[in-house]
Amino acid sequence: MAIHVLAVHRDTVGTEQAAGGSLAAAYSVGVFCWLLSAGVYIAAKWVSSEMPPWALCFWRVLIAWAILMPIVYQHFGAMVALVRARGLELLAIGGMGLAICQGLIFVGLEHADATTAGIIIALIPIITMILARFILAEPMGRWQVIGSILAFLGIVVIIVKGSPAALLRLDLNPGELWIVAGAFCFSLYTVLLRRAKFDVNRLALLVLLLGAAVLTALPFYLFELLSDERSTLNASGLIALGYVAIPGGAVMYYLFNRSIEALGAARAGVLLYIQTIFIAVLAYLFLGEQLQRYHLEGAALIVAGLLLIILLKPTTRAEATKA
């Protein structure tokens, strides 16, 4: 799922062109990665009435971890050293971003439609920017504040389905609130990961974070086994799990890391917004979901906020002095 690879990279801003690789091929890899990620929302929604959310989360991260682990064997020494030195930090950050976050989203998809989830997830960069202002002391100018407010209003429009009366009655969809909580968890994970600056290969770090997610999701999964009567072994559940763990899990994680190597973190991360479009199209084709007017109104506010944030960057003191 998307959300869970955006911040796996270290905090870099320059592009790192892959040797011999073209820019078009690099963007193609990035776009295909987000198409696979969008499919995770569709699969999770498809089996939401049959397969418990934490079972899907636990087996997804476990299978993805098992597939990717052999690929980073040459970094095992550095990985073991990092676990010994900063194991609890890895557990807390990886557990939050790759387990708690997607568990909350899978819970939310039991009650909310995939289209709405895709639009809400587009808030992640905005929430990340706000948290980075307070945790990392990164600059945030007037237009970034205005853009954040517009984006927040867009989410409110979607959650109340365009009806202010629903907000006054507190007639809210709990699923959408769970998804907002998941987006917040991933944004916090992003900021904490940037602050941590783990000194290890990017893909090896992802494997360590997935391992932390397995340990974090396990108790939720075990509790679910005792309290949820839904089967996790029926045909639909196995098909969905196969998709979210392999094409939408291990393959997607690997491709995203490759796109970062070719495009750099900033340009690869911006492709996240394509995922929202993919989710809406796939939800229409496979789930029969329809775009509602409130979806478009909310999305318009979010896009306006994003444009203000991206195009009108805050001026640093150094830049102001030069001017």
Side-chain angles (χ1 to χ4, degrees), residues 98-116:
L98 303 184
I100 301 297
C101 169
Q102 54 181 313
L104 292 176
I105 291 175
F106 290 158
V107 170
L109 284 170
E110 294 185 307
H111 308 284
D113 58 72
T115 302
T116 298

Side-chain angles (χ1 to χ4, degrees), residues 258-301:
R258 289 297 300 271
S259 71
I260 289 174
E261 292 172 0
L263 297 172
R267 286 200 285 183
V270 166
L271 293 175
L272 164 69
Y273 302 116
I274 297 176
Q275 177 186 237
T276 298
I277 299 172
F278 284 148
I279 290 174
V281 173
L282 293 175
Y284 172 77
L285 293 175
F286 293 100
L287 302 176
E289 293 183 6
Q290 302 286 334
L291 273 174
Q292 305 297 327
R293 179 176 177 179
Y294 61 83
H295 284 135
L296 299 176
E297 293 171 345
L301 287 170

Side-chain angles (χ1 to χ4, degrees), residues 119 123 126 146-158 162 293-309:
I119 296 173
L123 266 186
I126 296 174
I146 295 173
S148 300
I149 292 172
L150 281 176
F152 174 77
L153 290 176
I155 291 302
V156 171
V157 168
I158 292 170
R293 179 176 177 179
Y294 61 83
H295 284 135
L296 299 176
E297 293 171 345
L301 287 170
I302 293 172
V303 169
L306 286 170
L307 289 175
L308 287 177
I309 290 168

Side-chain angles (χ1 to χ4, degrees), residues 4-27:
H4 320 332
V5 289
L6 181 61
V8 165
H9 55 78
R10 286 177 294 224
D11 191 18
T12 60
V13 292
T15 58
E16 305 170 21
Q17 292 290 353
S22 70
L23 197 60
Y27 273 110

Side-chain angles (χ1 to χ4, degrees), residues 51-123:
M51 188 172 190
W54 288 103
L56 192 62
C57 175
F58 171 76
W59 287 107
R60 182 189 189 221
V61 292
L62 177 61
I63 294 172
W65 173 83
I67 292 173
L68 293 175
M69 175 64 85
I71 299 176
V72 296
Y73 71 92
Q74 68 269 35
H75 301 288
F76 280 178
M79 293 166 67
V80 171
L82 182 59
V83 170
R84 287 176 176 173
R86 304 174 69 180
L88 288 178
E89 194 175 359
L90 281 167
L91 180 62
I93 294 176
M96 177 183 297
L98 303 184
I100 301 297
C101 169
Q102 54 181 313
L104 292 176
I105 291 175
F106 290 158
V107 170
L109 284 170
E110 294 185 307
H111 308 284
D113 58 72
T115 302
T116 298
I119 296 173
I120 292 174
I121 291 305
L123 266 186

